[in-house]
Amino acid sequence: MVEKDCVFCKIINGNIPCEKIFENDSYFAFLDINPMHPGHTLLIPKKHVDYIFDLSDKELFDFLTTAKKLSLILQKAIGTEKVGLVVEGFLVRHAHIHLIPINPGMQLDSSLQKPINKEVLQKIGDQIRTIIKN
């Protein structure tokens, strides 16, 4: 199911460009263009659902398991100690998880988000996709 005015549904359908790093039958992941820290990734279900807890138990389990797998990849690709997870869902009304690489002293604070250079975003995406392929 796709919501015609949803920016994330438009990204999934290719109507809005993104730096995609992962896709399977159920989920889609891309780099945030206003990252809190380099490698900040958004993981979304392909099925349009507003609230993460509107997912079935199985869908929620699969969503979080996918987030875990991507977090391990981000750790390796970015060289970060941990990956923080944030779920809120008010700015874009499509369930999503923020996966944010963090090291000691780094905060998970949305006021830290700022635009990133397209070439830097692409380089980070290439690093992550290389880990996924191997």
Side-chain angles (χ1 to χ4, degrees):
M1 175 171 76
V2 172
E3 189 75 25
K4 69 177 183 157
D5 293 325
C6 173
V7 68
F8 287 171
C9 288
K10 290 177 182 178
I11 288 172
I12 292 166
N13 289 327
N15 298 331
I16 296 174
C18 72
E19 190 65 34
K20 177 175 75 171
I21 60 166
F22 172 81
E23 179 178 13
N24 66 16
D25 291 340
S26 302
Y27 305 104
F28 192 97
F30 57 99
L31 295 176
D32 195 311
I33 60 170
N34 294 300
M36 234 177 271
H37 303 295
H40 181 161
T41 298
L42 296 169
L43 174 63
I44 60 178
K46 287 185 171 179
K47 168 180 136 178
H48 180 85
V49 60
D50 178 0
Y51 184 44
I52 192 170
F53 294 123
D54 287 338
L55 294 168
S56 71
D57 289 350
K58 181 185 181 330
E59 290 169 326
L60 182 59
F61 176 81
D62 291 344
F63 195 28
L64 291 173
T65 301
T66 302
K68 180 180 178 180
K69 289 175 186 173
L70 282 175
S71 294
L72 296 172
I73 291 165
L74 286 172
Q75 276 184 287
K76 189 172 183 181
I78 304 300
T80 190
E81 185 175 330
K82 294 185 178 187
V83 174
L85 183 144
V86 175
V87 177
E88 48 88 10
F90 288 102
L91 185 60
V92 178
R93 304 297 296 228
H94 184 125
H96 58 287
I97 295 173
H98 293 260
L99 299 171
I100 306 159
I102 53 175
N103 287 305
M106 295 174 126
Q107 296 178 352
L108 296 177
D109 179 351
S110 62
S111 70
L112 297 172
Q113 289 187 261
K114 58 186 179 292
I116 190 168
N117 176 289
K118 185 178 178 180
E119 288 78 26
V120 173
L121 192 70
Q122 186 175 17
K123 182 180 176 185
I124 294 168
D126 289 343
Q127 289 173 298
I128 296 166
R129 286 186 292 270
T130 297
I131 301 295
I132 290 172
K133 287 179 187 176
N134 293 330

